[in-house]
Amino acid sequence: AQKITQTQPGMFVQEKEAVTLDCTYDTSDPSYGLFWYKQPSSGEMIFLIYQGSYDQQNATEGRYSLNFQKARKSANLVISASQLGDSAMYFCAMREARSSHGSSNTGKLIFGQGTTLQVKP
Amino acid sequence: DGGITQSPKYLFRKEGQNVTLSCEQNLNHDAMYWYRQDPGQGLRLIYYSQIVNDFQKGDIAEGYSVSREKKESFPLTVTSAQKNPTAFYLCASSITPQGRYNSPLHFGNGTRLTVT
């Protein structure tokens, strides 16, 4: 069964420094996608970055990059040059290509427990 | 602008009453989802629908019901059978999921339900 683990309940980072948020996953499907979302205190879920299981290069989106280590089943989010507005909860999520009952429909998106990031001025 | 609308933002109900949370999208997405979030926790899948008139139970479907009569709408009913209904509920949608595991979910702004 698919599983996502975020082991850091809370993290602090100094403004303008880089921070890495950890995410490990478990799946038996060779085809899957990994996502990171940001949730500010307002509650909305903001999609940040995506990495596919067959992607050869690590995904990057502006100040966000994904350190994808397939053999270790990890997909850590790196935020460079942290800003005060980066303070939020961050979720790692995964979706398999096939549902658990083997149909051709894509599996559901499951989330980790989240990491709360606080950026210090 | 296209997006997902959840209403209301805050909802208060007495214990024993059913309550329906609204979710409407104008993104022309086939798939829609309902997640529940408890304070400081991750999102747990309640129900999802990949096509009109069809839906599947997620991980915590007990005490909830849904319908998908129109592509744009996926209302969630929290029934009196749900033992601990107070939570933050998020609706999401994505383009047709078949073989498109790279499509992200787009979320509404959520409904905060309090049952006393």
Short mmCIF file of all heavy atoms in Angstrom, two decimals, chain A residues 31-33 35 37 39 41-45 47 50 53-54 89 91 95-97 101 104-106 108-113, chain B residues 9 33 35 37 40-43 45 48 50 58-59 88 90 94 97-109 112:
data_model
loop_
_atom_site.label_atom_id
_atom_site.label_comp_id
_atom_site.label_asym_id
_atom_site.label_seq_id
_atom_site.Cartn_x
_atom_site.Cartn_y
_atom_site.Cartn_z
N SER A 31 5.06 3.50 -11.54
CA SER A 31 4.63 4.79 -12.10
C SER A 31 3.86 5.56 -11.04
O SER A 31 2.81 5.11 -10.58
CB SER A 31 3.72 4.57 -13.31
OG SER A 31 4.36 3.78 -14.30
N TYR A 32 4.40 6.72 -10.69
CA TYR A 32 3.74 7.52 -9.65
C TYR A 32 4.21 8.96 -9.75
O TYR A 32 5.19 9.28 -10.43
CB TYR A 32 4.04 6.96 -8.25
CG TYR A 32 5.51 6.80 -7.94
CD1 TYR A 32 6.26 7.85 -7.40
CD2 TYR A 32 6.15 5.59 -8.20
CE1 TYR A 32 7.60 7.69 -7.14
CE2 TYR A 32 7.50 5.44 -7.94
CZ TYR A 32 8.22 6.48 -7.41
OH TYR A 32 9.56 6.33 -7.15
N GLY A 33 3.47 9.81 -9.11
CA GLY A 33 3.81 11.22 -9.06
C GLY A 33 3.91 11.70 -7.63
O GLY A 33 3.17 11.24 -6.76
N PHE A 35 4.04 15.20 -5.16
CA PHE A 35 3.61 16.59 -5.15
C PHE A 35 3.96 17.22 -3.79
O PHE A 35 3.95 16.54 -2.77
CB PHE A 35 2.09 16.68 -5.32
CG PHE A 35 1.55 16.01 -6.55
CD1 PHE A 35 1.37 14.64 -6.59
CD2 PHE A 35 1.20 16.76 -7.66
CE1 PHE A 35 0.86 14.02 -7.72
CE2 PHE A 35 0.68 16.14 -8.80
CZ PHE A 35 0.52 14.77 -8.83
N TYR A 37 2.60 20.59 -1.48
CA TYR A 37 1.62 21.66 -1.33
C TYR A 37 2.00 22.51 -0.13
O TYR A 37 2.56 22.03 0.86
CB TYR A 37 0.22 21.08 -1.09
CG TYR A 37 -0.46 20.54 -2.33
CD1 TYR A 37 -0.21 19.26 -2.78
CD2 TYR A 37 -1.36 21.33 -3.04
CE1 TYR A 37 -0.84 18.76 -3.92
CE2 TYR A 37 -2.00 20.84 -4.17
CZ TYR A 37 -1.72 19.56 -4.60
OH TYR A 37 -2.36 19.08 -5.73
N GLN A 39 0.27 25.11 2.76
CA GLN A 39 -0.99 25.52 3.37
C GLN A 39 -0.73 26.64 4.37
O GLN A 39 -0.31 26.40 5.51
CB GLN A 39 -1.68 24.34 4.06
CG GLN A 39 -3.07 24.70 4.57
CD GLN A 39 -3.78 23.54 5.25
OE1 GLN A 39 -3.17 22.79 6.02
NE2 GLN A 39 -5.07 23.37 4.97
N SER A 41 -1.88 29.79 6.97
CA SER A 41 -2.85 29.74 8.08
C SER A 41 -4.28 29.95 7.60
O SER A 41 -5.23 29.57 8.29
CB SER A 41 -2.49 30.77 9.14
OG SER A 41 -2.42 32.06 8.56
N SER A 42 -4.46 30.53 6.44
CA SER A 42 -5.81 30.74 5.89
C SER A 42 -6.48 29.42 5.48
O SER A 42 -7.70 29.37 5.32
CB SER A 42 -5.75 31.65 4.67
OG SER A 42 -4.86 31.11 3.70
N GLY A 43 -5.67 28.37 5.31
CA GLY A 43 -6.25 27.06 5.03
C GLY A 43 -6.21 26.61 3.58
O GLY A 43 -6.40 25.43 3.31
N GLU A 44 -6.01 27.51 2.65
CA GLU A 44 -5.99 27.10 1.25
C GLU A 44 -4.79 26.20 0.98
O GLU A 44 -3.78 26.28 1.66
CB GLU A 44 -5.92 28.33 0.35
CG GLU A 44 -4.64 29.13 0.55
CD GLU A 44 -4.69 30.49 -0.08
OE1 GLU A 44 -4.75 30.57 -1.32
OE2 GLU A 44 -4.66 31.47 0.68
N MET A 45 -4.91 25.32 0.01
CA MET A 45 -3.83 24.42 -0.37
C MET A 45 -3.26 24.91 -1.70
O MET A 45 -3.97 24.98 -2.70
CB MET A 45 -4.36 22.99 -0.54
CG MET A 45 -4.81 22.36 0.75
SD MET A 45 -3.45 21.90 1.82
CE MET A 45 -2.83 20.46 0.97
N PHE A 47 -0.54 24.37 -4.68
CA PHE A 47 0.35 23.42 -5.33
C PHE A 47 1.69 24.11 -5.63
O PHE A 47 1.73 25.20 -6.19
CB PHE A 47 -0.30 22.92 -6.62
CG PHE A 47 0.65 22.20 -7.54
CD1 PHE A 47 1.22 21.00 -7.14
CD2 PHE A 47 0.96 22.71 -8.78
CE1 PHE A 47 2.09 20.33 -7.98
CE2 PHE A 47 1.82 22.06 -9.63
CZ PHE A 47 2.40 20.87 -9.23
N TYR A 50 5.97 19.39 -8.72
CA TYR A 50 5.65 18.00 -9.05
C TYR A 50 6.91 17.28 -9.55
O TYR A 50 7.74 17.87 -10.26
CB TYR A 50 4.58 17.96 -10.15
CG TYR A 50 4.46 16.61 -10.81
CD1 TYR A 50 3.71 15.59 -10.22
CD2 TYR A 50 5.11 16.33 -12.01
CE1 TYR A 50 3.62 14.35 -10.80
CE2 TYR A 50 5.02 15.08 -12.60
CZ TYR A 50 4.27 14.10 -12.00
OH TYR A 50 4.19 12.87 -12.58
N SER A 53 7.87 9.78 -11.41
CA SER A 53 8.79 8.70 -11.08
C SER A 53 9.81 8.43 -12.18
O SER A 53 10.88 7.88 -11.92
CB SER A 53 8.01 7.43 -10.75
OG SER A 53 7.21 7.02 -11.84
N TYR A 54 9.50 8.80 -13.41
CA TYR A 54 10.42 8.55 -14.52
C TYR A 54 11.24 9.78 -14.90
O TYR A 54 12.03 9.72 -15.84
CB TYR A 54 9.64 8.05 -15.73
CG TYR A 54 8.96 6.72 -15.48
CD1 TYR A 54 7.57 6.64 -15.42
CD2 TYR A 54 9.69 5.56 -15.30
CE1 TYR A 54 6.93 5.43 -15.18
CE2 TYR A 54 9.07 4.35 -15.07
CZ TYR A 54 7.69 4.29 -15.02
OH TYR A 54 7.05 3.10 -14.78
N MET A 89 2.30 25.49 6.59
CA MET A 89 2.42 24.04 6.70
C MET A 89 2.66 23.50 5.30
O MET A 89 2.05 23.97 4.34
CB MET A 89 1.15 23.45 7.30
CG MET A 89 1.32 22.05 7.86
SD MET A 89 0.10 21.72 9.14
CE MET A 89 0.57 20.09 9.67
N PHE A 91 2.92 20.05 2.81
CA PHE A 91 2.52 18.65 2.68
C PHE A 91 3.14 18.02 1.46
O PHE A 91 3.14 18.59 0.37
CB PHE A 91 1.00 18.54 2.56
CG PHE A 91 0.26 18.90 3.82
CD1 PHE A 91 -0.28 20.15 3.98
CD2 PHE A 91 0.11 17.97 4.84
CE1 PHE A 91 -0.97 20.49 5.14
CE2 PHE A 91 -0.57 18.30 6.00
CZ PHE A 91 -1.11 19.56 6.14
N ARG A 95 0.66 10.10 -5.76
CA ARG A 95 -0.42 9.45 -6.47
C ARG A 95 0.19 8.37 -7.36
O ARG A 95 1.12 8.63 -8.11
CB ARG A 95 -1.16 10.46 -7.34
CG ARG A 95 -2.19 9.86 -8.27
CD ARG A 95 -2.69 10.91 -9.24
NE ARG A 95 -3.97 11.42 -8.84
CZ ARG A 95 -4.50 12.54 -9.34
NH1 ARG A 95 -3.84 13.25 -10.21
NH2 ARG A 95 -5.68 12.94 -8.94
N GLU A 96 -0.35 7.18 -7.26
CA GLU A 96 0.09 6.07 -8.09
C GLU A 96 -0.62 6.12 -9.44
O GLU A 96 -1.70 6.69 -9.56
CB GLU A 96 -0.18 4.74 -7.39
CG GLU A 96 0.65 4.55 -6.12
CD GLU A 96 0.22 3.33 -5.33
OE1 GLU A 96 -0.96 2.93 -5.44
OE2 GLU A 96 1.05 2.79 -4.59
N ALA A 97 -0.04 5.45 -10.42
CA ALA A 97 -0.66 5.44 -11.75
C ALA A 97 -1.91 4.58 -11.76
O ALA A 97 -2.84 4.83 -12.51
CB ALA A 97 0.33 4.94 -12.79
N HIS A 101 -7.12 -1.22 -6.55
CA HIS A 101 -7.81 -2.41 -7.05
C HIS A 101 -7.45 -2.72 -8.49
O HIS A 101 -8.11 -3.51 -9.14
CB HIS A 101 -9.32 -2.29 -6.86
CG HIS A 101 -9.92 -1.01 -7.32
ND1 HIS A 101 -10.19 -0.73 -8.62
CD2 HIS A 101 -10.26 0.10 -6.63
CE1 HIS A 101 -10.70 0.47 -8.70
NE2 HIS A 101 -10.77 1.00 -7.52
N SER A 104 -7.59 0.81 -14.46
CA SER A 104 -6.75 1.73 -15.23
C SER A 104 -6.85 3.15 -14.70
O SER A 104 -6.10 4.02 -15.10
CB SER A 104 -7.17 1.71 -16.70
OG SER A 104 -8.52 2.12 -16.82
N ASN A 105 -7.77 3.38 -13.79
CA ASN A 105 -7.88 4.72 -13.23
C ASN A 105 -6.72 5.01 -12.30
O ASN A 105 -6.24 4.14 -11.57
CB ASN A 105 -9.19 4.87 -12.44
CG ASN A 105 -10.39 4.92 -13.36
OD1 ASN A 105 -10.28 5.34 -14.51
ND2 ASN A 105 -11.51 4.48 -12.88
N THR A 106 -6.30 6.24 -12.33
CA THR A 106 -5.20 6.66 -11.47
C THR A 106 -5.60 6.52 -10.01
O THR A 106 -6.74 6.73 -9.64
CB THR A 106 -4.85 8.11 -11.78
OG1 THR A 106 -4.58 8.21 -13.17
CG2 THR A 106 -3.64 8.57 -11.00
N LYS A 108 -5.61 7.33 -5.92
CA LYS A 108 -5.94 8.55 -5.18
C LYS A 108 -4.67 9.24 -4.72
O LYS A 108 -3.60 8.63 -4.60
CB LYS A 108 -6.81 8.18 -3.98
CG LYS A 108 -6.17 7.15 -3.07
CD LYS A 108 -7.16 6.56 -2.09
CE LYS A 108 -6.49 5.50 -1.24
NZ LYS A 108 -7.43 4.76 -0.40
N LEU A 109 -4.79 10.52 -4.43
CA LEU A 109 -3.67 11.30 -3.92
C LEU A 109 -3.68 11.19 -2.40
O LEU A 109 -4.68 11.53 -1.77
CB LEU A 109 -3.83 12.76 -4.34
CG LEU A 109 -2.64 13.67 -4.09
CD1 LEU A 109 -1.48 13.31 -4.99
CD2 LEU A 109 -3.03 15.13 -4.28
N ILE A 110 -2.59 10.70 -1.83
CA ILE A 110 -2.51 10.61 -0.37
C ILE A 110 -1.45 11.58 0.13
O ILE A 110 -0.49 11.88 -0.56
CB ILE A 110 -2.21 9.18 0.11
CG1 ILE A 110 -0.83 8.72 -0.35
CG2 ILE A 110 -3.28 8.21 -0.36
CD1 ILE A 110 -0.30 7.58 0.47
N PHE A 111 -1.67 12.06 1.36
CA PHE A 111 -0.83 13.10 1.93
C PHE A 111 -0.07 12.61 3.15
O PHE A 111 -0.52 11.72 3.87
CB PHE A 111 -1.71 14.29 2.35
CG PHE A 111 -2.24 15.09 1.21
CD1 PHE A 111 -3.34 14.67 0.50
CD2 PHE A 111 -1.62 16.27 0.84
CE1 PHE A 111 -3.83 15.40 -0.57
CE2 PHE A 111 -2.10 17.02 -0.22
CZ PHE A 111 -3.20 16.57 -0.93
N GLY A 112 1.08 13.23 3.37
CA GLY A 112 1.80 13.03 4.62
C GLY A 112 1.18 13.87 5.72
O GLY A 112 0.21 14.59 5.50
N GLN A 113 1.76 13.80 6.92
CA GLN A 113 1.22 14.51 8.07
C GLN A 113 1.54 15.99 8.08
O GLN A 113 0.95 16.75 8.83
CB GLN A 113 1.74 13.88 9.36
CG GLN A 113 1.19 12.49 9.62
CD GLN A 113 -0.30 12.52 9.91
OE1 GLN A 113 -1.12 12.40 9.00
NE2 GLN A 113 -0.67 12.68 11.15
N LYS B 9 -17.90 29.22 4.35
CA LYS B 9 -16.54 29.12 4.89
C LYS B 9 -16.57 28.57 6.31
O LYS B 9 -15.71 27.79 6.70
CB LYS B 9 -15.88 30.50 4.88
CG LYS B 9 -14.41 30.49 5.25
CD LYS B 9 -13.78 31.84 5.00
CE LYS B 9 -12.30 31.79 5.32
NZ LYS B 9 -11.62 33.07 5.06
N TYR B 33 -12.84 15.46 -5.32
CA TYR B 33 -12.42 14.78 -4.09
C TYR B 33 -12.88 15.57 -2.87
O TYR B 33 -12.97 16.80 -2.91
CB TYR B 33 -10.89 14.70 -4.03
CG TYR B 33 -10.23 14.12 -5.26
CD1 TYR B 33 -10.04 14.90 -6.40
CD2 TYR B 33 -9.76 12.81 -5.27
CE1 TYR B 33 -9.42 14.38 -7.53
CE2 TYR B 33 -9.14 12.28 -6.40
CZ TYR B 33 -8.98 13.07 -7.52
OH TYR B 33 -8.37 12.54 -8.64
N TYR B 35 -11.65 15.90 1.18
CA TYR B 35 -10.68 15.56 2.22
C TYR B 35 -11.12 16.18 3.54
O TYR B 35 -11.75 17.24 3.57
CB TYR B 35 -9.29 16.10 1.88
CG TYR B 35 -8.57 15.34 0.79
CD1 TYR B 35 -8.73 15.71 -0.54
CD2 TYR B 35 -7.72 14.28 1.08
CE1 TYR B 35 -8.08 15.04 -1.55
CE2 TYR B 35 -7.05 13.60 0.08
CZ TYR B 35 -7.23 13.98 -1.23
OH TYR B 35 -6.57 13.30 -2.23
N GLN B 37 -9.47 17.47 7.27
CA GLN B 37 -8.23 17.81 7.95
C GLN B 37 -8.54 18.18 9.40
O GLN B 37 -9.35 19.06 9.66
CB GLN B 37 -7.52 18.98 7.26
CG GLN B 37 -6.16 19.29 7.86
CD GLN B 37 -5.46 20.43 7.16
OE1 GLN B 37 -6.09 21.30 6.57
NE2 GLN B 37 -4.12 20.43 7.21
N GLY B 40 -3.53 20.40 12.94
CA GLY B 40 -2.15 19.92 12.94
C GLY B 40 -1.92 18.61 12.22
O GLY B 40 -0.85 18.02 12.35
N GLN B 41 -2.92 18.17 11.47
CA GLN B 41 -2.82 16.86 10.82
C GLN B 41 -2.82 16.99 9.30
O GLN B 41 -3.08 18.06 8.75
CB GLN B 41 -4.00 15.99 11.24
CG GLN B 41 -4.09 15.74 12.72
CD GLN B 41 -2.92 14.95 13.24
OE1 GLN B 41 -2.54 13.93 12.65
NE2 GLN B 41 -2.32 15.40 14.33
N GLY B 42 -2.54 15.88 8.65
CA GLY B 42 -2.60 15.82 7.20
C GLY B 42 -4.02 15.68 6.71
O GLY B 42 -4.98 15.68 7.49
N LEU B 43 -4.16 15.54 5.41
CA LEU B 43 -5.47 15.41 4.79
C LEU B 43 -5.81 13.93 4.62
O LEU B 43 -4.98 13.14 4.16
CB LEU B 43 -5.48 16.08 3.41
CG LEU B 43 -5.67 17.59 3.37
CD1 LEU B 43 -4.49 18.31 3.98
CD2 LEU B 43 -5.89 18.04 1.93
N LEU B 45 -8.64 11.27 2.89
CA LEU B 45 -9.62 11.22 1.81
C LEU B 45 -10.93 10.61 2.29
O LEU B 45 -10.95 9.50 2.84
CB LEU B 45 -9.05 10.40 0.65
CG LEU B 45 -9.89 10.30 -0.61
CD1 LEU B 45 -10.09 11.67 -1.24
CD2 LEU B 45 -9.25 9.34 -1.60
N TYR B 48 -14.20 10.19 -3.35
CA TYR B 48 -13.78 10.79 -4.60
C TYR B 48 -14.63 10.27 -5.74
O TYR B 48 -15.21 9.19 -5.66
CB TYR B 48 -12.28 10.59 -4.87
CG TYR B 48 -11.82 9.17 -5.02
CD1 TYR B 48 -11.45 8.66 -6.26
CD2 TYR B 48 -11.70 8.34 -3.91
CE1 TYR B 48 -10.98 7.37 -6.39
CE2 TYR B 48 -11.24 7.04 -4.03
CZ TYR B 48 -10.88 6.55 -5.27
OH TYR B 48 -10.43 5.27 -5.40
N GLN B 50 -14.60 10.07 -10.06
CA GLN B 50 -13.79 10.24 -11.27
C GLN B 50 -14.64 10.55 -12.49
O GLN B 50 -14.12 10.90 -13.54
CB GLN B 50 -12.93 8.99 -11.49
CG GLN B 50 -11.89 8.83 -10.40
CD GLN B 50 -11.13 7.52 -10.48
OE1 GLN B 50 -11.66 6.52 -10.92
NE2 GLN B 50 -9.88 7.54 -10.05
N GLY B 58 -13.27 6.77 0.17
CA GLY B 58 -11.88 6.95 0.51
C GLY B 58 -11.55 6.20 1.78
O GLY B 58 -12.16 5.19 2.10
N ASP B 59 -10.62 6.73 2.54
CA ASP B 59 -10.14 6.03 3.74
C ASP B 59 -11.05 6.20 4.95
O ASP B 59 -11.01 5.40 5.88
CB ASP B 59 -8.74 6.52 4.09
CG ASP B 59 -7.75 6.26 2.96
OD1 ASP B 59 -7.78 5.14 2.41
OD2 ASP B 59 -6.98 7.17 2.61
N PHE B 88 -11.95 20.57 9.39
CA PHE B 88 -11.82 21.43 8.21
C PHE B 88 -11.97 20.53 6.99
O PHE B 88 -11.27 19.52 6.87
CB PHE B 88 -10.44 22.11 8.25
CG PHE B 88 -10.21 23.12 7.18
CD1 PHE B 88 -11.10 24.16 6.97
CD2 PHE B 88 -9.07 23.07 6.39
CE1 PHE B 88 -10.88 25.12 5.99
CE2 PHE B 88 -8.83 24.02 5.41
CZ PHE B 88 -9.74 25.04 5.21
N LEU B 90 -11.97 20.02 2.89
CA LEU B 90 -11.42 20.56 1.64
C LEU B 90 -11.93 19.76 0.46
O LEU B 90 -11.87 18.53 0.45
CB LEU B 90 -9.90 20.52 1.67
CG LEU B 90 -9.22 21.60 2.51
CD1 LEU B 90 -7.84 21.16 2.94
CD2 LEU B 90 -9.15 22.91 1.74
N SER B 94 -9.42 17.51 -10.24
CA SER B 94 -8.30 17.37 -11.17
C SER B 94 -8.84 16.93 -12.52
O SER B 94 -9.97 16.44 -12.61
CB SER B 94 -7.26 16.36 -10.64
OG SER B 94 -7.75 15.05 -10.73
N PRO B 97 -8.43 11.51 -14.44
CA PRO B 97 -7.29 10.88 -13.78
C PRO B 97 -6.73 9.67 -14.53
O PRO B 97 -5.65 9.22 -14.21
CB PRO B 97 -7.88 10.42 -12.45
CG PRO B 97 -9.31 10.15 -12.77
CD PRO B 97 -9.70 11.16 -13.81
N GLN B 98 -7.44 9.20 -15.54
CA GLN B 98 -6.98 7.96 -16.17
C GLN B 98 -5.62 8.15 -16.81
O GLN B 98 -5.46 8.89 -17.76
CB GLN B 98 -8.00 7.49 -17.20
CG GLN B 98 -9.27 7.00 -16.56
CD GLN B 98 -10.16 6.28 -17.53
OE1 GLN B 98 -9.72 5.86 -18.58
NE2 GLN B 98 -11.42 6.13 -17.19
N GLY B 99 -4.65 7.49 -16.25
CA GLY B 99 -3.30 7.54 -16.78
C GLY B 99 -2.62 8.88 -16.60
O GLY B 99 -1.54 9.10 -17.12
N ARG B 100 -3.23 9.78 -15.86
CA ARG B 100 -2.65 11.11 -15.70
C ARG B 100 -2.28 11.33 -14.24
O ARG B 100 -2.82 12.20 -13.57
CB ARG B 100 -3.64 12.18 -16.17
CG ARG B 100 -4.01 12.10 -17.63
CD ARG B 100 -2.86 12.48 -18.54
NE ARG B 100 -2.45 13.85 -18.35
CZ ARG B 100 -2.99 14.88 -19.01
NH1 ARG B 100 -3.96 14.68 -19.86
NH2 ARG B 100 -2.54 16.10 -18.80
N TYR B 101 -1.38 10.52 -13.76
CA TYR B 101 -1.03 10.64 -12.36
C TYR B 101 -0.20 11.88 -12.07
O TYR B 101 0.10 12.18 -10.92
CB TYR B 101 -0.30 9.38 -11.88
CG TYR B 101 0.96 9.04 -12.65
CD1 TYR B 101 2.18 9.61 -12.30
CD2 TYR B 101 0.93 8.14 -13.70
CE1 TYR B 101 3.32 9.30 -12.99
CE2 TYR B 101 2.08 7.81 -14.39
CZ TYR B 101 3.27 8.39 -14.03
OH TYR B 101 4.41 8.07 -14.72
N ASN B 102 0.14 12.62 -13.12
CA ASN B 102 0.92 13.83 -12.91
C ASN B 102 0.05 15.07 -12.73
O ASN B 102 0.58 16.15 -12.54
CB ASN B 102 1.89 14.05 -14.07
CG ASN B 102 1.15 14.23 -15.39
OD1 ASN B 102 -0.02 13.86 -15.51
ND2 ASN B 102 1.82 14.80 -16.36
N SER B 103 -1.25 14.92 -12.81
CA SER B 103 -2.10 16.10 -12.70
C SER B 103 -2.33 16.45 -11.23
O SER B 103 -2.78 15.63 -10.45
CB SER B 103 -3.44 15.87 -13.38
OG SER B 103 -4.08 14.73 -12.88
N PRO B 104 -2.00 17.68 -10.86
CA PRO B 104 -2.18 18.07 -9.45
C PRO B 104 -3.64 18.28 -9.13
O PRO B 104 -4.47 18.49 -10.01
CB PRO B 104 -1.41 19.39 -9.36
CG PRO B 104 -1.47 19.95 -10.73
CD PRO B 104 -1.46 18.78 -11.66
N LEU B 105 -3.97 18.23 -7.87
CA LEU B 105 -5.30 18.58 -7.42
C LEU B 105 -5.36 20.09 -7.19
O LEU B 105 -4.42 20.70 -6.68
CB LEU B 105 -5.64 17.85 -6.12
CG LEU B 105 -6.38 16.53 -6.24
CD1 LEU B 105 -5.59 15.52 -7.04
CD2 LEU B 105 -6.74 15.99 -4.87
N HIS B 106 -6.49 20.66 -7.58
CA HIS B 106 -6.77 22.06 -7.31
C HIS B 106 -7.78 22.09 -6.18
O HIS B 106 -8.80 21.40 -6.24
CB HIS B 106 -7.33 22.75 -8.55
CG HIS B 106 -6.38 22.73 -9.69
ND1 HIS B 106 -5.58 23.81 -10.03
CD2 HIS B 106 -6.07 21.76 -10.59
CE1 HIS B 106 -4.84 23.50 -11.08
NE2 HIS B 106 -5.11 22.27 -11.44
N PHE B 107 -7.52 22.89 -5.16
CA PHE B 107 -8.35 22.89 -3.97
C PHE B 107 -9.21 24.14 -3.85
O PHE B 107 -8.83 25.23 -4.30
CB PHE B 107 -7.47 22.80 -2.72
CG PHE B 107 -6.91 21.43 -2.47
CD1 PHE B 107 -5.75 21.01 -3.08
CD2 PHE B 107 -7.55 20.57 -1.60
CE1 PHE B 107 -5.24 19.74 -2.85
CE2 PHE B 107 -7.05 19.30 -1.36
CZ PHE B 107 -5.89 18.89 -1.99
N GLY B 108 -10.35 23.96 -3.20
CA GLY B 108 -11.14 25.09 -2.76
C GLY B 108 -10.56 25.64 -1.47
O GLY B 108 -9.55 25.13 -0.96
N ASN B 109 -11.19 26.68 -0.93
CA ASN B 109 -10.66 27.31 0.28
C ASN B 109 -11.12 26.65 1.57
O ASN B 109 -10.73 27.06 2.65
CB ASN B 109 -11.03 28.79 0.30
CG ASN B 109 -10.21 29.57 -0.71
OD1 ASN B 109 -9.13 29.17 -1.10
ND2 ASN B 109 -10.75 30.69 -1.15
N ARG B 112 -14.97 25.18 7.38
CA ARG B 112 -14.67 24.78 8.75
C ARG B 112 -15.99 24.47 9.45
O ARG B 112 -16.79 25.36 9.68
CB ARG B 112 -13.92 25.91 9.46
CG ARG B 112 -12.93 25.44 10.48
CD ARG B 112 -11.99 26.56 10.92
NE ARG B 112 -10.95 26.88 9.97
CZ ARG B 112 -9.80 26.22 9.84
NH1 ARG B 112 -9.56 25.17 10.60
NH2 ARG B 112 -8.90 26.60 8.96
#
